Amino acid sequence: MAAGGDMEDGNGGTEQRCRLYLITPARIDDLDAFARDLDSALAAGDVACLQLRLKDVGDDVIRTAARRLMPVAHAHGVAFLINDRADLAVELDADGVHLGQGDGSVAEARSLLGHGKDIGVTCHDSLHLAYEAGEGGADYVAFGAFFPTQTKETQHTPDADILTVWDEVTELPSVAIGGITPENCKTLAAAGAHFVAVSGAVWSDPRGPAMAVKAFNAALAAD
Ligand SMILES: Cc1ncc(COP(=O)(O)OP(=O)(O)O)c(N)n1
Ligand SMILES: Cc1nc(C(=O)O)sc1CCOP(=O)(O)O
Ligand SMILES: [Mg+2]
């Protein structure tokens, strides 16, 4: 799906239907150290995508981080998406953008990015928002937060059934997000999620991000 990386979902005939989607911490103080952590995490197992989600920083900080981290992702065949900002995604030649409900329309992002890039949309607990996103041309929809999370304040707590309903009515990939761990990810995969999006459970794992990626892939591959 993505030029630099492979954001194919598991329906492409791969053995593992639900794949891991990583999201960076909202703040990266030591970019070189994080790049090393990222390299070891992506070397440890299958990851479909990395989203750069820096918050409360200037555009140049996002640019510097993207220029440092996108080559690491691409070296492992991992798609690299920018959070919120379709304009920066174009400028940086990223593989796509993730849009929240306040980050502009899919149509606007598509007019900037073109058809070779991925556009994802936050849909919280709403099938209506997901239908709207799909009709607008989104490449995936994201539902969440399924579990308690310290990474983002959210009022929406969908039930996993929304993933099953979505999977029954469309082939448009779904991403599940919010408090996802190796211990709880399988329930979301079994419900129909094509990707599980994770931040804290990878970057804050005391065993290191590589072990966390291994644990997620072992859990997702289990029957
Ligand atoms: C894959 C994925 N799903 C949801 C979000 C949340 O996006 P948004 O609602 O715009 O909130 P912020 O992440 O911008 O704080 C996401 N980033 N990625
Ligand atoms: C960025 C984000 N969006 C959410 C939503 O519900 O839309 S929950 C969330 C936080 C994801 O990080 P963690 O894996 O650490 O919970
Ligand atoms: Mg956003």
Side-chain angles (χ1 to χ4, degrees):
M1 244 196 285
D6 170 19
M7 203 186 158
E8 289 302 329
D9 66 16
N11 284 330
T14 61
E15 281 177 28
Q16 184 175 312
R17 185 177 184 276
C18 185
R19 301 182 65 195
L20 188 55
Y21 175 136
L22 296 185
I23 299 179
T24 69
R27 178 189 173 120
I28 299 174
D29 292 321
D30 184 336
L31 189 55
D32 287 334
F34 184 80
R36 289 192 294 272
D37 280 349
L38 176 63
D39 188 53
S40 66
L42 300 186
D46 178 54
V47 174
C49 164
L50 175 73
Q51 180 192 125
L52 180 62
R53 181 181 177 264
L54 297 179
K55 288 292 180 178
D56 305 320
V57 297
D59 289 1
D60 282 345
V61 173
I62 297 171
R63 292 185 178 104
T64 301
R67 289 168 180 148
R68 182 73 178 80
L69 301 178
M70 184 158 56
V72 177
H74 287 174
H76 293 278
V78 173
F80 186 88
L81 272 62
I82 302 287
N83 186 39
D84 293 342
R85 298 282 302 276
D87 59 331
L88 284 179
V90 175
E91 177 191 324
L92 294 161
D93 195 24
D95 299 307
V97 65
H98 183 85
L99 302 175
Q101 289 298 316
D103 296 324
S105 72
V106 173
E108 291 164 350
R110 186 63 71 192
S111 67
L112 287 171
L113 283 159
H115 287 282
K117 304 289 187 178
D118 292 324
I119 300 175
V121 179
T122 292
C123 298
H124 300 307
D125 55 0
S126 168
L127 286 170
H128 174 71
L129 288 175
Y131 290 134
E132 274 191 342
E135 285 160 13
D139 296 291
Y140 71 81
V141 295
F143 297 111
F146 286 98
F147 302 103
T149 173
Q150 293 176 5
T151 302
K152 179 177 173 61
E153 286 192 21
T154 176
Q155 292 76 34
H156 307 282
T157 53
D159 185 277
D161 288 349
I162 197 168
L163 297 163
T164 306
V165 171
W166 184 253
D167 199 37
E168 287 169 348
V169 300
T170 177
E171 290 187 0
L172 192 67
S174 64
V175 176
I177 190 167
I180 300 177
T181 69
E183 291 70 33
N184 64 30
C185 66
K186 193 65 181 180
T187 57
L188 301 174
H194 294 69
F195 302 92
V196 287
V198 176
S199 188
V202 168
W203 308 118
S204 302
D205 190 317
R207 301 168 298 177
M211 288 304 292
V213 168
K214 287 182 187 290
F216 270 106
N217 278 300
L220 291 169
D223 290 333

